[in-house]
Amino acid sequence: MAAMVSRPPGSRLVETRLRGWIDPYAGLNAFDFTRLPPSPDLSPYLHHYWVVTWQTLAEPYEQRIVSHPTVNMTITRDFHRIAGVIRGGFSYTMKDSGRVIGVRFRPGGFRPLYRAPVSELTGRFVEIPDLYGEAGTTLVDQVLGEPDHKLAIAAIETFLRTLGPRPDPLAEEAAELVELAESTVTITRADDLAARSGRSLRSLQRLFRDYVGISPKWVIRRFRLHEAAERIQQGLDLATLAAELGYTDQAHLTRDFTGAVGMAPAAYARLSAEPAPSSSAGTPRPPSRQPRRR
């Protein structure tokens, strides 16, 4: 079971595992990572804030990510942007010293702030000032100029409240269905999720396009790849894993995994077998890894 951060009564829990990060524990000696929950009034729209900081790296460090079906806001000295759902993997290279402050919106949660189909942003990075004008420029300046990340996050929350989000039952439904797809490994097809939702497949596809920004088929497959990465770390053989996660065969899983992660499952298993450094910034250590076979 994943470790969780305690929250005030009635507010959402924030998961602390680094699901979707490619072997992040190898880099925990290079950077500090923290997750923080949103204020209760923004929790219908935001999943969590995340902060990555690093100091005087001896050499650049690249962290690779297998993306989630979410919109993110990220502010750092190199860029300040809204990222729609990214279909492939992506990476960020840390060098010298620096900080990234990010906001992960709940699936569907950006729709009440954007007030347009979230699919318009899919696969795109849009600069915050381009989307929000002078107010966006002011926000970026405030965050970059504030050394205390908690105060920087307070500035982000103030800005998001000015956008006037209102509760949206469809946004909540989309978030719950995405959570169901993530937590239920036996859901391997969009038809399965449609049946659980009580919607027709076409209706489910429209909901996801408008609120999540990507198809239910992609969401399910992406979560199964996250699951695959975790299970490969634990040493499960690929044929068994492919069958459990709804792939037609081991080759199908290997193709999908390689396309998203950037390396074949066997190479990822070898990477995961490297000794993990001690935990940093309150991040839990990963599950026990299989010893490297010589």
Side-chain angles (χ1 to χ4, degrees):
M1 183 177 295
M4 308 295 283
V5 175
S6 61
R7 290 288 312 278
S11 56
R12 296 184 184 279
L13 296 175
V14 176
E15 189 178 16
T16 60
R17 63 182 172 177
L18 301 182
R19 182 173 249 207
W21 291 46
I22 303 304
D23 201 38
Y25 300 94
L28 285 179
N29 60 343
F31 61 85
D32 291 324
F33 176 84
T34 303
R35 280 186 179 145
L36 296 168
S39 294
D41 64 309
L42 292 173
S43 64
Y45 318 107
L46 279 58
H47 191 278
H48 65 265
Y49 300 97
W50 51 272
V51 183
V52 177
T53 56
W54 62 98
Q55 300 291 332
T56 318
L57 295 180
E59 58 185 28
Y61 177 81
E62 181 184 31
Q63 178 63 59
R64 287 171 290 170
I65 306 288
V66 179
S67 57
H68 289 247
T70 56
V71 174
N72 279 262
M73 172 189 286
T74 50
I75 300 177
T76 181
R77 66 188 177 204
D78 295 329
F79 53 80
H80 4 84
R81 64 197 185 188
I82 300 292
V85 177
I86 306 302
R87 292 185 177 90
F90 64 98
S91 65
Y92 179 67
T93 299
M94 307 170 200
K95 53 188 175 181
D96 301 325
S97 60
R99 180 185 73 181
V100 182
I101 293 184
V103 183
R104 178 185 289 181
F105 294 89
R106 296 184 72 207
F110 194 67
R111 181 63 169 80
L113 295 148
Y114 187 56
R115 297 187 180 87
V118 178
S119 58
E120 294 180 356
L121 296 170
T122 299
R124 297 175 58 203
F125 297 98
V126 181
E127 290 293 309
I128 294 170
D130 291 343
L131 194 59
Y132 296 114
E134 185 176 344
T137 299
T138 299
L139 172 65
V140 169
D141 291 343
Q142 287 178 322
V143 172
L144 293 179
E146 177 51 69
D148 185 325
H149 68 264
K150 292 184 179 180
L151 294 179
I153 287 172
I156 293 173
E157 292 210 324
T158 297
F159 170 79
L160 293 176
R161 291 185 182 104
T162 68
L163 300 179
R166 296 181 179 179
D168 184 336
L170 290 177
E172 189 64 33
E173 181 184 0
E176 290 175 354
L177 289 173
V178 170
E179 183 178 350
L180 179 65
E182 180 177 21
S183 62
T184 310
V185 178
T186 55
I187 294 178
T188 60
R189 303 180 344 162
D191 286 335
D192 299 335
L193 187 60
R196 296 284 291 268
S197 73
R199 287 177 172 266
S200 68
L201 179 58
R202 286 184 179 274
S203 174
L204 182 69
Q205 290 168 335
R206 287 194 298 269
L207 175 70
F208 272 54
R209 182 172 60 248
D210 195 10
Y211 280 80
V212 183
I214 199 89
S215 71
K217 177 181 178 180
W218 186 94
V219 169
I220 293 166
R221 185 56 50 86
R222 181 48 49 102
F223 284 141
R224 299 297 78 84
L225 285 176
H226 287 173
E227 185 76 20
E230 292 185 350
R231 304 283 288 281
I232 287 169
Q233 281 188 329
Q234 297 166 14
L236 190 68
D237 72 274
L238 291 182
T240 301
L241 185 57
E244 288 186 6
L245 299 183
Y247 284 88
T248 54
D249 52 32
Q250 180 177 330
H252 186 193
L253 170 60
T254 297
R255 285 194 302 272
D256 266 16
F257 190 93
T258 303
V261 175
M263 67 183 76
Y268 185 73
R270 289 193 296 270
L271 174 69
S272 299
E274 295 290 347
S278 59
S279 189
S280 173
T283 306
R285 290 181 60 82
S288 299
R289 297 178 175 187
Q290 298 297 312
R292 178 188 289 277
R293 289 182 170 85
R294 299 294 183 183

